[in-house]
Amino acid sequence: MNMRKYVNSHSGRAFGDRVWITPFFASLLIFITLFLTAIFGLFASSNGREQIPVDVILSSKLESDDSSGYFVNSELKRSPEINGNSKPRLPRFAYLISGTKGDSHRMMRTLQAVYHPRNQYVMHLDLEALPRERLELAASVKADPTFHEVDNVRVMAQSNLVTYKGPTMIACTLQAISILLKESSEWDWFINLSASDYPLVTQDDFLHVFSNLSRNLNFIEHMQIVGWKLNQRAKPIIVDPGLYLSKKSDIAWTTQRRSLPTSFKLFTGSAWVMLTRQFLEYCIWGWDNLPRTILMYYANFISSPEGYFHTVICNTDGFQNTAISHDLHYIAWDSPPKQHPRYLSMKDFDKMVKSNAPFARKFAKDDPVLDKIDKELLGRTNRFAPGAWCIGSSENGADPCSLRGNDSVFNPGPGAQRLQELFGTLLSEDFRKKQCA
């Protein structure tokens, strides 16, 4: 009797509370409306013709050119336009200047020779350099009033062990690129230089000429590895001790050999490049996984800095047509060529100028030819190669760059004319046929 009273009283409370009825029927009405809309949307024809099944519509869409709406990365896969009609903003460059033990002073000299307030700079001394040398480099950058004011020069706090034949150099370069991408969203091209590199034109020359060039051009000397070179370069497997040791040593060769890749072609070329921000974002983010796949492949590849970017760019449809096969350097080799280029000296000065290249390498520390380049090509008598941004007085040996003006104004000189001649050749139809061939 008591149990019956409990049940009845409980049921009375449940069914007596009518607050839930209104939202329940409202939700039911919305559901029925949406369901009927979906049914009539699939089977009712707005023009009276028979409807095509949904699976056929999707199949037709995916097979057509207009499939961008179905893929989250469709915008990223579009090929960059080479010849844009709209005039882009003035360019900016991002430099990586790297060195090893004993290179800090040479790195500072190269930095000052290529400095411009519009650009971004990252300095990296590898782990072989003494901590004292790294601190001196950081202190020199910090003490410079222009660097402090503009805040566009950074010394990498983390020093990486770099074996220049192995993948550790690529890893260090990608880290520097990531830093530059994080610190600034405005630069257009990345340029890697070493302490033994030096410019042959001013930054005003460089910026002026690139103001009239497409932002999609990548300057990367490259050629496909074919024939007997595949056996010598692609099949051997190396191990870079820099990946797991704290002291520098040469690469180790394994007795095993690997088969050639079938999903991509191998390319090689100069390790010195000038690459667009768009291409490097693709390498860093790797939204279609190709850059990561190739990076893992080159982890055991001899001289991977001379193949990684080259192989990525020439196996990517959206970037193949942007690769200009030139590294923008003047480099002299012995005959027959040895493993490394020879050091440049006074006797090479005229050849350097006639090459129209904006950079040259390799230079020995404080070689007299560097003073000649400063005087005759860069007009550099103080810290920086002067440009239109330097509006201070130069009387009595004063530094005109101690007073900074508008960094969007350039004062091009003979170096700009030489560069324009070079690009007239590089952008010609005959030269462009060599792209990723």
Side-chain angles (χ1 to χ4, degrees):
M1 185 68 179
N2 293 336
M3 179 63 69
R4 187 182 300 112
K5 288 182 179 180
Y6 174 76
V7 171
N8 290 340
S9 62
H10 180 78
S11 301
R13 285 195 302 270
F15 287 95
D17 186 0
R18 305 294 181 180
V19 177
W20 57 273
I21 295 178
T22 300
F24 170 77
F25 281 106
S27 300
L28 182 61
L29 181 61
I30 293 173
F31 171 77
I32 293 173
T33 302
L34 293 176
F35 180 76
L36 292 176
T37 302
I39 293 297
F40 284 108
L42 289 175
F43 296 101
S45 174
S46 60
N47 56 10
R49 291 180 296 181
E50 183 180 358
Q51 286 291 313
I52 302 175
V54 176
D55 56 345
V56 177
I57 294 175
L58 288 177
S59 176
S60 176
K61 283 280 189 179
L62 293 177
E63 291 176 0
S64 67
D65 292 335
D66 187 18
S67 59
S68 59
Y70 293 95
F71 300 102
V72 70
N73 63 341
S74 59
E75 291 297 320
L76 303 176
K77 292 171 72 67
R78 290 182 180 177
S79 302
E81 294 293 333
I82 302 298
N83 296 316
N85 294 325
S86 59
K87 186 175 182 180
R89 59 176 174 78
L90 295 177
R92 298 176 187 268
F93 304 124
Y95 284 89
L96 165 63
I97 302 176
S98 57
T100 186
K101 183 179 180 180
D103 281 344
S104 60
H105 293 293
R106 290 205 294 170
M107 290 172 65
M108 277 298 297
R109 180 168 185 168
T110 299
L111 169 64
Q112 291 170 341
V114 298
Y115 182 78
H116 194 282
R118 293 187 62 82
N119 300 334
Q120 296 290 324
Y121 301 86
V122 166
M123 314 280 282
H124 177 258
L125 263 174
D126 69 22
L127 200 58
E128 193 175 21
L130 299 175
R132 173 178 52 82
E133 186 178 9
R134 194 170 301 107
L135 290 174
E136 288 177 354
L137 177 62
S140 298
V141 170
K142 186 177 181 180
D144 188 285
T146 303
F147 297 161
H148 178 75
E149 180 183 359
V150 182
D151 191 27
N152 63 341
V153 180
R154 294 167 180 81
V155 177
M156 288 178 62
Q158 178 183 352
S159 290
N160 302 293
L161 190 62
V162 177
T163 307
Y164 290 92
K165 290 182 182 179
T168 43
M169 184 175 177
I170 286 295
C172 181
T173 302
L174 291 174
Q175 182 187 15
I177 293 169
S178 299
I179 292 173
L180 289 164
L181 289 172
K182 178 178 180 293
E183 294 296 332
S184 175
S185 61
E186 296 184 343
W187 55 268
D188 303 287
W189 279 282
F190 167 82
I191 303 168
N192 63 333
L193 301 176
S194 73
S196 59
D197 289 59
Y198 212 68
L200 303 177
V201 299
T202 68
Q203 287 301 287
D204 272 21
D205 294 331
F206 211 42
L207 288 160
H208 170 74
V209 173
F210 273 86
S211 297
N212 299 312
L213 292 183
S214 168
R215 297 294 191 273
N216 298 314
L217 297 176
N218 291 277
F219 296 88
I220 176 169
E221 182 191 70
H222 59 274
M223 64 189 74
Q224 187 176 348
I225 306 177
V226 294
W228 61 269
K229 291 184 179 180
L230 284 171
N231 291 326
Q232 292 190 353
R233 299 294 299 274
K235 290 188 176 181
I237 301 175
I238 63 101
V239 177
D240 187 349
L243 295 173
Y244 56 88
L245 296 180
S246 59
K247 291 187 178 181
K248 190 172 182 178
S249 59
D250 200 6
I251 58 173
W253 296 78
T254 68
T255 56
Q256 293 81 10
R257 293 171 68 84
R258 58 182 163 187
S259 58
L260 300 176
T262 57
S263 61
F264 52 87
K265 298 178 180 179
L266 297 176
F267 288 78
T268 187
S270 173
W272 311 105
V273 296
M274 182 175 181
L275 302 173
T276 63
R277 182 190 184 96
Q278 184 181 15
F279 173 66
L280 292 174
E281 285 178 339
Y282 170 71
C283 291
I284 296 295
W285 306 128
W287 46 79
D288 71 353
N289 210 39
L290 178 65
R292 280 187 293 272
T293 300
I294 295 178
L295 183 62
M296 289 187 290
Y297 178 82
Y298 274 93
N300 301 109
F301 198 96
I302 182 68
S303 299
S304 55
E306 299 176 358
Y308 171 68
F309 290 120
H310 316 67
T311 299
V312 173
I313 200 168
C314 285
N315 284 275
T316 307
D317 292 338
F319 293 104
Q320 286 178 342
N321 293 332
T322 70
I324 307 300
S325 188
H326 197 285
D327 62 4
L328 304 183
H329 276 69
Y330 173 81
I331 303 175
W333 298 88
D334 291 309
S335 183
K338 298 179 180 179
Q339 184 176 359
H340 299 287
R342 62 177 178 82
Y343 283 100
L344 301 174
S345 61
M346 284 288 194
K347 65 181 181 180
D348 299 294
F349 181 80
D350 291 337
K351 293 180 181 178
M352 283 187 276
V353 176
K354 291 178 181 178
S355 73
N356 296 328
F359 304 101
R361 71 183 317 268
K362 302 171 44 175
F363 293 99
K365 182 179 180 181
D366 296 329
D367 191 283
V369 71
L370 296 174
D371 296 329
K372 186 177 180 66
I373 293 173
D374 280 341
K375 180 180 179 180
E376 299 187 18
L377 301 183
L378 305 181
R380 179 172 176 249
T381 57
N382 288 282
R383 291 179 301 162
F384 308 125
W389 67 275
C390 304
I391 59 174
S393 173
S394 58
E395 294 182 0
N396 299 322
D399 183 5
C401 298
S402 59
L403 187 61
R404 185 165 58 94
N406 187 353
D407 63 16
S408 297
V409 177
F410 309 135
N411 183 24
Q417 298 177 2
R418 298 197 304 272
L419 269 180
Q420 288 172 342
E421 291 181 14
L422 174 65
F423 290 134
T425 300
L426 298 184
L427 301 181
S428 65
E429 184 176 352
D430 289 339
F431 195 89
R432 294 289 290 272
K433 291 178 181 178
K434 302 177 183 177
Q435 292 175 160
C436 297

